[in-house]
Amino acid sequence: MLATRLFGVGDIQTVEVPMPEPGPGEILIQVEAAGICGTDRHLFKGEFPSVPGKTLGHEFSGIVVDNGGAEIAVGTRVTCDPNKWCGTCDQCRRGRVNLCPNNMATGIGRDGGFAEYCAFQASMAHVLPAGLDPLHGAFCEPLACTLHGMDIGDARPGERVLVIGGGVIGLLAVQLAKLSGGEVMLLTRSAAKQALGKKLGADLVAGSEAEAREKWPNGADLVVECAGVAETVAMSPDLTRAGGRVVVLGVLPAGAQVPIEPFDMLFREIQMHFSFMNPFTHGRAARMIADGVIEVSQLISRKISLPEAAGAIAEPALAGEVRAIVVPGM
Ligand SMILES: [Zn+2]
Ligand SMILES: [Zn+2]
């Protein structure tokens, strides 16, 4: 079968590999869709620790073709929570599974979804309906990460929520904030993403920090930083009202430093939080995708085949692109 593997920093190729053989507790999935995420490009560039020779792809869904004796029936569509925590370390034992130092992520530490088939632990698969658009399953993982961040942010009805960044996470955050009953502004420089944000429920859009401040002079109750850029993290407390919260979901390069003013944040009692991965939120994400309460079809910028996947990961995302989805059956 074909798989897109990272052989080393800067060396990604789609190659012929043996069919994966499911181990104990594993099922075999025929991959229908796998999203290309910023993390895949970080891995390619060596900005994120990787294991040479592994198949990338951690945002995927597909059909169970061998259930390995697990309860889940052959033919079932599933989405895969790529993280597998150890369950025995100090963090796992206090329920902080996303902080498990022994976490093994499918598509990073073990072979993932940029392949025709993937062997995957049955315990981390979540069922999706047979009638769902197969491409939609690839959005469960980013939605699960966004849900964790929004849980931390705890937006309440009537609050003002400023989402910074018009990528997948930002556009999912806009929708979740609207579902929470918030008044939502999307801050992104991209006019195309502003337009998309409006379609997906943003009440207001802004193209700059100044424009956001002009629209909400007192700031937002909750700022959700989804851009992963030093400047936008730095502006987040400034755009938060006194007593408000910031949640950072965006991933900055390791070592990046951001100037913040503790004096201001203390006197205005700004709570600043960081949100990492998807602890126990994948099931909720799967249900929301299954129910169609989150619009994802407009987040699909292009569909690409497995042979094209290596090149697509090696290159930066296209201008205005939200999500490129690898479709192995294409
Ligand atoms: Zn990702
Ligand atoms: Zn652990």
Side-chain angles (χ1 to χ4, degrees), residues 35 37 39-40 43 56-60 80 82 106-108 112-114 141:
C37 158
T39 302
D40 297 310
L43 287 160
L56 299 189
H58 59 271
E59 302 182 358
F60 64 99
C80 302
T106 297
I108 297 175
F114 295 146
E141 197 272 350

Side-chain angles (χ1 to χ4, degrees), residues 84-93 96-103:
K84 189 186 185 191
W85 56 86
C86 76
T88 58
C89 74
D90 179 53
Q91 294 292 358
C92 284
R93 282 161 58 97
R96 304 297 301 273
V97 295
N98 55 328
L99 307 180
C100 171
N102 309 313
N103 182 49

